[in-house]
Amino acid sequence: MPREYPCIKVPKFHGEKAIILANKLKIVNKELEIQRNENFIYIPLLRQPLKNELDAIKEQIPDSEISTYIFPVRKKRVTTLVEPLEDTLPPHLLASLPRAIDFVGDIAIIEIPPELDAYKNVIGEAILRVHKNVQTVLAKAGAVSGTYRIREFNLIAGQPKTYTIHKEHGCRYYIDLAKAYFSPRLSYEHNRVASLVKDGETVIDLFAGVGPFSILIAKTHEHVKVYAVDANPHAVKFLKKNVRLNRVEGKVHPILGDAQQVVKEGLFGVADRVIMNLPEKAIEFLEGACEAIKSSGGIVHFYSFLKASDSLENVTLRFINAVKGSGREVEKILFSRFVRATAPYEWQVVLDAKIR
Ligand SMILES: C[S@@+](CC[C@H](N)C(=O)[O-])C[C@H]1O[C@@H](n2cnc3c(N)ncnc32)[C@H](O)[C@@H]1O
């Protein structure tokens, strides 16, 4: 029987942020279904938050409140592909079924291991059955590669398309996965960086893609100027559409071109903050980033790949030396973390650094 439980009540716009935070605090009651109405999201809690938890919630989402709400018990969902496929696949192959499915808009993306290749269409159809919002299932057909950081896909079920609209943190993005980079696995990172920006800042998103950092920053801050640079004409075409879709014209300025060149030609010393999300090559663009930072100093969000044979300390040292080589200095490493695994024994990492 549905009954009243304690909850966090937040305006819809902050819903995703509140869910992430409540999960981090381990206070979400996962037996119950999150509720939404036109204006608010209600996140069911296991108990009343403690004082320190309450402070954390209030600090990150000032317009949230602790309330009570009537929650129905969550229906049991099929969370793995094993259940729908156990009668179709030979038992010894069930263990090879992919556990991770990425969802970009109404497209599901999976990696099919070689031993399951003969069953890829059956797996695709199972995903369509289990995830009712999915219209298309794509299998990865190679690694992310090239300057534009895109990969090839094979259609394994549903509508033949790579184009969709994806929602993230209250923003919407037109994306064509075959033409421009996008990963839903960077969702937390997009929000983390956006929430560090202060009103009044000038930000340069040097490798902006379709705009998930730039647009969220503009959407969540009243007075910001964001220069969003990308070398891929398709990415910039979608970026421009996304600027209009999210109504951040005048705040986000899309620029097509090479990051280093664009800085040299007009963004010298303008930035309070530079985002460098091109992990395999960001170090080569540090000179441009350092030139773009205001003479009074600023912050760089620097991304890199890290292999098991390397360490975060080494990445940090290489970064500090490269900044020195560009005539600036790292005043402080403010933060660092492993963002996600990108391949076996390889991770994407981030450093936030104050540059003077
Ligand atoms: C890993 S993607 C990141 C996209 C976006 N920041 C995101 O989080 O989705 C890197 C982007 O850098 C762009 N890029 C690669 N080389 C570039 C360069 N020299 N100048 C500007 N953009 C470049 C690619 O086209 C790609 O869109």
PDB file of all heavy atoms in Angstrom, residues 204 262-271 291-294:
ATOM      1  N   ILE A 204      36.259  29.105 -21.493  1.00  0.00           N
ATOM      2  CA  ILE A 204      36.523  28.579 -22.842  1.00  0.00           C
ATOM      3  C   ILE A 204      36.464  27.057 -22.762  1.00  0.00           C
ATOM      4  O   ILE A 204      37.207  26.428 -22.006  1.00  0.00           O
ATOM      5  CB  ILE A 204      37.899  29.022 -23.389  1.00  0.00           C
ATOM      6  CG1 ILE A 204      38.014  30.552 -23.382  1.00  0.00           C
ATOM      7  CG2 ILE A 204      38.088  28.494 -24.814  1.00  0.00           C
ATOM      8  CD1 ILE A 204      39.341  31.076 -23.937  1.00  0.00           C
ATOM      9  N   VAL A 262      42.423  29.135 -32.611  1.00  0.00           N
ATOM     10  CA  VAL A 262      41.318  30.009 -32.176  1.00  0.00           C
ATOM     11  C   VAL A 262      41.776  30.900 -31.021  1.00  0.00           C
ATOM     12  O   VAL A 262      41.486  32.094 -30.990  1.00  0.00           O
ATOM     13  CB  VAL A 262      40.080  29.162 -31.765  1.00  0.00           C
ATOM     14  CG1 VAL A 262      39.036  30.011 -31.057  1.00  0.00           C
ATOM     15  CG2 VAL A 262      39.473  28.480 -32.980  1.00  0.00           C
ATOM     16  N   VAL A 263      42.548  30.323 -30.086  1.00  0.00           N
ATOM     17  CA  VAL A 263      43.044  31.137 -28.964  1.00  0.00           C
ATOM     18  C   VAL A 263      43.965  32.225 -29.496  1.00  0.00           C
ATOM     19  O   VAL A 263      43.822  33.407 -29.161  1.00  0.00           O
ATOM     20  CB  VAL A 263      43.784  30.259 -27.921  1.00  0.00           C
ATOM     21  CG1 VAL A 263      44.474  31.127 -26.882  1.00  0.00           C
ATOM     22  CG2 VAL A 263      42.814  29.301 -27.252  1.00  0.00           C
ATOM     23  N   LYS A 264      44.900  31.815 -30.359  1.00  0.00           N
ATOM     24  CA  LYS A 264      45.882  32.777 -30.887  1.00  0.00           C
ATOM     25  C   LYS A 264      45.194  33.917 -31.622  1.00  0.00           C
ATOM     26  O   LYS A 264      45.624  35.057 -31.575  1.00  0.00           O
ATOM     27  CB  LYS A 264      46.844  32.068 -31.841  1.00  0.00           C
ATOM     28  CG  LYS A 264      47.845  31.204 -31.127  1.00  0.00           C
ATOM     29  CD  LYS A 264      49.184  31.150 -31.835  1.00  0.00           C
ATOM     30  CE  LYS A 264      50.128  30.152 -31.194  1.00  0.00           C
ATOM     31  NZ  LYS A 264      50.346  30.377 -29.756  1.00  0.00           N
ATOM     32  N   GLU A 265      44.097  33.577 -32.319  1.00  0.00           N
ATOM     33  CA  GLU A 265      43.465  34.589 -33.165  1.00  0.00           C
ATOM     34  C   GLU A 265      42.481  35.493 -32.424  1.00  0.00           C
ATOM     35  O   GLU A 265      41.947  36.403 -33.013  1.00  0.00           O
ATOM     36  CB  GLU A 265      42.766  33.903 -34.346  1.00  0.00           C
ATOM     37  CG  GLU A 265      43.762  33.467 -35.400  1.00  0.00           C
ATOM     38  CD  GLU A 265      43.176  32.522 -36.424  1.00  0.00           C
ATOM     39  OE1 GLU A 265      41.942  32.349 -36.424  1.00  0.00           O
ATOM     40  OE2 GLU A 265      43.955  31.955 -37.206  1.00  0.00           O
ATOM     41  N   GLY A 266      42.213  35.243 -31.153  1.00  0.00           N
ATOM     42  CA  GLY A 266      41.255  36.171 -30.540  1.00  0.00           C
ATOM     43  C   GLY A 266      40.833  35.879 -29.115  1.00  0.00           C
ATOM     44  O   GLY A 266      39.960  36.573 -28.586  1.00  0.00           O
ATOM     45  N   LEU A 267      41.393  34.841 -28.471  1.00  0.00           N
ATOM     46  CA  LEU A 267      40.940  34.570 -27.099  1.00  0.00           C
ATOM     47  C   LEU A 267      42.110  34.656 -26.107  1.00  0.00           C
ATOM     48  O   LEU A 267      42.143  33.973 -25.099  1.00  0.00           O
ATOM     49  CB  LEU A 267      40.267  33.192 -27.025  1.00  0.00           C
ATOM     50  CG  LEU A 267      38.989  33.020 -27.851  1.00  0.00           C
ATOM     51  CD1 LEU A 267      38.443  31.603 -27.721  1.00  0.00           C
ATOM     52  CD2 LEU A 267      37.919  34.020 -27.419  1.00  0.00           C
ATOM     53  N   PHE A 268      43.037  35.528 -26.433  1.00  0.00           N
ATOM     54  CA  PHE A 268      44.230  35.698 -25.616  1.00  0.00           C
ATOM     55  C   PHE A 268      43.884  36.376 -24.283  1.00  0.00           C
ATOM     56  O   PHE A 268      43.354  37.474 -24.279  1.00  0.00           O
ATOM     57  CB  PHE A 268      45.188  36.602 -26.405  1.00  0.00           C
ATOM     58  CG  PHE A 268      46.593  36.138 -26.372  1.00  0.00           C
ATOM     59  CD1 PHE A 268      47.063  35.207 -27.283  1.00  0.00           C
ATOM     60  CD2 PHE A 268      47.471  36.649 -25.412  1.00  0.00           C
ATOM     61  CE1 PHE A 268      48.374  34.791 -27.258  1.00  0.00           C
ATOM     62  CE2 PHE A 268      48.784  36.225 -25.376  1.00  0.00           C
ATOM     63  CZ  PHE A 268      49.239  35.297 -26.301  1.00  0.00           C
ATOM     64  N   GLY A 269      44.145  35.707 -23.178  1.00  0.00           N
ATOM     65  CA  GLY A 269      43.987  36.353 -21.859  1.00  0.00           C
ATOM     66  C   GLY A 269      42.565  36.729 -21.482  1.00  0.00           C
ATOM     67  O   GLY A 269      42.356  37.671 -20.722  1.00  0.00           O
ATOM     68  N   VAL A 270      41.573  35.991 -21.982  1.00  0.00           N
ATOM     69  CA  VAL A 270      40.182  36.372 -21.678  1.00  0.00           C
ATOM     70  C   VAL A 270      39.512  35.462 -20.636  1.00  0.00           C
ATOM     71  O   VAL A 270      38.486  35.817 -20.077  1.00  0.00           O
ATOM     72  CB  VAL A 270      39.290  36.379 -22.947  1.00  0.00           C
ATOM     73  CG1 VAL A 270      39.840  37.329 -24.002  1.00  0.00           C
ATOM     74  CG2 VAL A 270      39.118  34.973 -23.526  1.00  0.00           C
ATOM     75  N   ALA A 271      40.114  34.274 -20.373  1.00  0.00           N
ATOM     76  CA  ALA A 271      39.346  33.238 -19.657  1.00  0.00           C
ATOM     77  C   ALA A 271      39.631  33.160 -18.156  1.00  0.00           C
ATOM     78  O   ALA A 271      40.769  33.251 -17.709  1.00  0.00           O
ATOM     79  CB  ALA A 271      39.631  31.872 -20.278  1.00  0.00           C
ATOM     80  N   GLU A 291      47.683  30.526 -22.586  1.00  0.00           N
ATOM     81  CA  GLU A 291      47.573  31.861 -23.198  1.00  0.00           C
ATOM     82  C   GLU A 291      46.158  32.422 -23.043  1.00  0.00           C
ATOM     83  O   GLU A 291      45.958  33.628 -22.971  1.00  0.00           O
ATOM     84  CB  GLU A 291      47.923  31.779 -24.692  1.00  0.00           C
ATOM     85  CG  GLU A 291      49.409  31.609 -24.934  1.00  0.00           C
ATOM     86  CD  GLU A 291      49.725  31.242 -26.383  1.00  0.00           C
ATOM     87  OE1 GLU A 291      48.790  30.948 -27.151  1.00  0.00           O
ATOM     88  OE2 GLU A 291      50.921  31.253 -26.727  1.00  0.00           O
ATOM     89  N   ALA A 292      45.193  31.526 -23.011  1.00  0.00           N
ATOM     90  CA  ALA A 292      43.791  31.968 -22.931  1.00  0.00           C
ATOM     91  C   ALA A 292      43.402  32.448 -21.534  1.00  0.00           C
ATOM     92  O   ALA A 292      42.511  33.268 -21.363  1.00  0.00           O
ATOM     93  CB  ALA A 292      42.868  30.817 -23.338  1.00  0.00           C
ATOM     94  N   ILE A 293      44.095  31.914 -20.511  1.00  0.00           N
ATOM     95  CA  ILE A 293      43.781  32.291 -19.119  1.00  0.00           C
ATOM     96  C   ILE A 293      44.165  33.760 -18.863  1.00  0.00           C
ATOM     97  O   ILE A 293      45.200  34.227 -19.328  1.00  0.00           O
ATOM     98  CB  ILE A 293      44.565  31.358 -18.144  1.00  0.00           C
ATOM     99  CG1 ILE A 293      44.006  29.937 -18.194  1.00  0.00           C
ATOM    100  CG2 ILE A 293      44.614  31.905 -16.733  1.00  0.00           C
ATOM    101  CD1 ILE A 293      42.773  29.679 -17.372  1.00  0.00           C
ATOM    102  N   LYS A 294      43.333  34.464 -18.123  1.00  0.00           N
ATOM    103  CA  LYS A 294      43.597  35.877 -17.801  1.00  0.00           C
ATOM    104  C   LYS A 294      44.980  36.050 -17.162  1.00  0.00           C
ATOM    105  O   LYS A 294      45.441  35.136 -16.467  1.00  0.00           O
ATOM    106  CB  LYS A 294      42.533  36.389 -16.819  1.00  0.00           C
ATOM    107  CG  LYS A 294      41.200  36.659 -17.479  1.00  0.00           C
ATOM    108  CD  LYS A 294      40.196  37.189 -16.468  1.00  0.00           C
ATOM    109  CE  LYS A 294      38.903  37.540 -17.187  1.00  0.00           C
ATOM    110  NZ  LYS A 294      37.790  37.772 -16.274  1.00  0.00           N
TER     111      LYS A 294
END
